[in-house]
Amino acid sequence: MTWLDIDNLCEPLDVRKRIEGDRFQPLGMNTGSLKLSDIFINEKITRQVRSSWPLICNNNEIIW
């Protein structure tokens, strides 16, 4: 489950695969960002699955 503030979103939202170097700021992390690849590794998501994992983006920023 995820919570998004609709007032802070710009349409349209994009769905894409990951790009080398992707970073995002998880909810509750007030400063900085994490590499998406580190999250995939920590969650033990296989390389095969990572390459097709859908990402929801808003203005090129990963939101989910």
Side-chain angles (χ1 to χ4, degrees):
M1 179 186 298
T2 189
W3 297 93
L4 301 173
D5 184 351
I6 197 163
D7 294 330
N8 289 328
L9 298 177
C10 298
E11 292 186 33
L13 299 179
D14 298 313
V15 178
R16 66 168 174 83
K17 295 178 183 178
R18 71 186 183 111
I19 299 170
E20 187 70 32
D22 270 342
R23 300 183 73 84
F24 76 107
Q25 186 177 45
L27 184 64
M29 185 176 188
N30 295 327
T31 59
S33 61
L34 298 174
K35 291 194 304 186
L36 183 61
S37 60
D38 289 345
I39 298 300
F40 283 154
I41 290 167
N42 292 344
E43 294 298 321
K44 297 177 177 46
I45 297 172
T46 65
R47 286 179 190 237
Q48 242 177 333
V49 174
R50 290 179 217 164
S51 63
S52 61
W53 195 277
L55 301 171
I56 309 297
C57 300
N58 185 236
N59 286 335
N60 295 320
E61 179 184 341
I62 299 170
I63 59 173
W64 191 59

